[in-house]
Every structure is written in structure tokens, then in C-alpha cells.
């Protein structure tokens, strides 16, 4: 029946969205954990590509970023 098919499609869509949200949370958590490690090691705020200082505005926007604007491009 079409109604059952629609319900099934919505359930699959919700499940897919939940899986994607969980994946994003895991990625965010890994980025945050890596930023904490950089804080501990004294490397926080330094670009991992060129070793230049990452501008404060960029870190305020995304404290877990690992590259300066030039290297992010």
C-alpha cells in the first residue's frame, strides 16, 4: 500500500538523518579532542601546515581549526 510505503520511506529518511548527525558529532568530537591535545602540547593556534600563527578571529569562529586562512585554501 502507498501509505505503508510512505511511512517506510520517512522512517528510512529519519534513520539516515540520525546516522549523519551521529557521524558529524563524532567528527566534531575528534576535532575538539585534537584541539585539546594541541593546547596541552603548546601547539594550539599554530597552523599545522606552515607553522604560522592562526589569527584569533579564526580561532574564535572555530577553536578546533588547524590551519591559517592561506593554508586552508
Amino acid at each position: 500500500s502507498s501509505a505503508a510505503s510512505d511511512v517506510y520511506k520517512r522512517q528510512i529518511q529519519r534513520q539516515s538523518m540520525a546516522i549523519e548527525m551521529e557521524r558529524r558529532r563524532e567528527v566534531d568530537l575528534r576535532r575538539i579532542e585534537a584541539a585539546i591535545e594541541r593546547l596541552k602540547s603548546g601547539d594550539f593556534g599554530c597552523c599545522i601546515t606552515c607553522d604560522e600563527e592562526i589569527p584569533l578571529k579564526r580561532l574564535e569562529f572555530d577553536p578546533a581549526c588547524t590551519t591559517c586562512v592561506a593554508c586552508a585554501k
Side-chain angles (χ1 to χ4, degrees), residues 5 15 19 21 23 33 45 48-49 51 55:
S5 177
Q15 183 179 19
I19 290 169
M21 286 174 53
R23 186 195 67 77
E33 288 171 340
I48 62 169
T49 303
D51 209 32

Side-chain angles (χ1 to χ4, degrees), residues 15-59:
Q15 183 179 19
S16 294
M17 289 171 58
I19 290 169
E20 178 61 17
M21 286 174 53
E22 180 62 23
R23 186 195 67 77
R24 287 182 185 183
R25 280 193 292 267
E26 289 173 6
V27 168
D28 288 344
L29 180 59
R30 284 194 298 271
R31 291 181 74 238
I32 291 166
E33 288 171 340
I36 291 169
E37 290 304 313
R38 289 192 304 278
L39 273 170
K40 290 178 182 177
S41 70
D43 292 328
F44 182 80
C46 294
C47 177
I48 62 169
T49 303
C50 70
D51 209 32
E52 292 294 317
E53 189 172 311
I54 299 172
L56 182 59
K57 285 275 188 200
R58 183 164 172 81
L59 290 171

Side-chain angles (χ1 to χ4, degrees), residues 6-19:
D6 289 344
V7 169
Y8 178 73
K9 287 177 185 176
R10 284 194 300 273
Q11 288 174 339
I12 294 296
Q13 184 178 24
R14 276 193 290 260
Q15 183 179 19
S16 294
M17 289 171 58
I19 290 169

